[in-house]
Amino acid sequence: MTDTIRVVVVDDQALMRTGFRMILESAGIDVVAEAENGREAIETVTRHRPDVVLMDIRMPELDGVAATERLMTDDSLETRILILTTFDLDEYVFAALRAGAAGFLLKDTPPEALIDAVQVIAAGDALLAPSITKRLIGEFAKGATVGSPADLPGFADLTERETEVLVAMAGGMSNAEIAESLFVGETTVKTHVGRVLMKLGVRDRVQAVVAAYESGLVTPGQS
């Protein structure tokens, strides 16, 4: 990206906010503002309209899930939200992903991984590490209302190959891994992924995976 990435950091601990700011600014990323709870986050993000929000989950007054839900209802807002959590199996993480977050990151992530995550999110991609996709979403999709693919818009329009790609995505496979398993090029996989997102009417890969679980196309624990 040629333009400087603009970020708002939301965390109820000042020390964490300062640490994130130092790491991001060392990479030329512009931290335009900070907020210490969900209510402040909504006001701050609405005012500054950053590219990315680092959103803590557990905060007083209004938590990160509720703040994410409210921000994602603003269709004019192009900001993408990256959830910060201490535990990779935090029950709130799945709720945040369902609410529209573009991915999540553990707070003990190395500095270079944090920088990379913000750049990935700012570029329009979703950040849902393959190593945790099945474990996280599979665990908390157990409590979700599961329907049938026929009940949700767009699923009937998926081709057989697009359905295979969606199942692979829900299984935590990267584009490169999907390409290898289907014996096609990675560019072809990217095209299929794009069509899946378009047909399902979802904003990114995370939302497509959530939809796959909620539709019953993929079930928790499915290999």
Side-chain angles (χ1 to χ4, degrees):
M1 296 182 62
T2 55
D3 295 333
T4 301
I5 300 172
R6 302 172 68 255
V7 175
V8 165
V9 176
V10 183
D11 196 294
D12 62 337
Q13 298 182 43
L15 187 60
M16 293 298 297
R17 296 197 304 271
T18 299
F20 289 136
R21 174 185 285 274
M22 291 176 63
I23 291 170
L24 296 176
E25 290 184 342
S26 72
I29 295 171
D30 185 12
V31 178
V32 296
E34 300 177 9
E36 63 180 23
N37 59 58
R39 294 190 191 284
E40 281 190 12
I42 293 171
E43 297 172 359
T44 303
V45 171
T46 301
R47 182 167 66 252
H48 290 278
R49 309 186 85 78
D51 301 303
V52 177
V53 177
L54 292 186
M55 180 78 77
D56 188 19
I57 282 278
R58 306 191 183 201
M59 297 180 291
E61 295 192 40
L62 192 70
D63 65 31
V65 176
T68 296
E69 289 176 338
R70 295 191 191 182
L71 287 170
M72 289 297 97
T73 61
D74 183 351
D75 293 333
S76 70
L77 194 66
E78 296 183 358
T79 298
R80 310 193 82 232
I81 298 177
L82 178 59
I83 295 296
L84 296 169
T85 180
T86 304
F87 307 105
D88 60 353
L89 284 183
D90 189 326
E91 63 185 278
Y92 294 104
V93 172
F94 182 66
L97 296 177
R98 292 183 66 194
F104 87 95
L105 201 65
L106 295 177
K107 286 189 175 181
D108 62 358
T109 295
E112 60 273 15
L114 172 64
I115 293 167
D116 181 65
V118 169
Q119 292 172 336
V120 166
I121 294 294
D125 293 326
L127 188 75
L128 195 57
S131 62
I132 56 82
T133 302
K134 286 200 299 184
R135 186 159 56 94
L136 174 73
I137 294 188
E139 179 68 22
F140 295 108
K142 292 177 183 176
T145 301
V146 177
S148 162
D151 297 332
L152 296 178
F155 276 90
D157 297 328
L158 297 179
T159 65
E160 183 177 349
R161 179 46 60 91
E162 288 164 357
T163 300
E164 290 177 336
V165 169
L166 177 56
V167 170
M169 288 163 56
M173 296 176 70
S174 65
N175 284 355
E177 290 169 333
I178 296 173
E180 183 177 357
S181 69
L182 298 180
F183 303 103
V184 298
E186 193 169 344
T187 300
T188 299
V189 172
K190 290 181 180 178
T191 298
H192 287 314
V193 170
R195 288 175 178 166
V196 168
L197 302 186
M198 179 186 67
K199 290 181 179 180
L200 297 186
V202 295
R203 65 177 62 85
D204 56 35
R205 194 185 191 96
V206 173
Q207 300 303 302
V209 171
V210 170
Y213 277 98
E214 292 187 326
S215 71
L217 178 66
V218 178
T219 57
Q222 179 176 327
S223 58

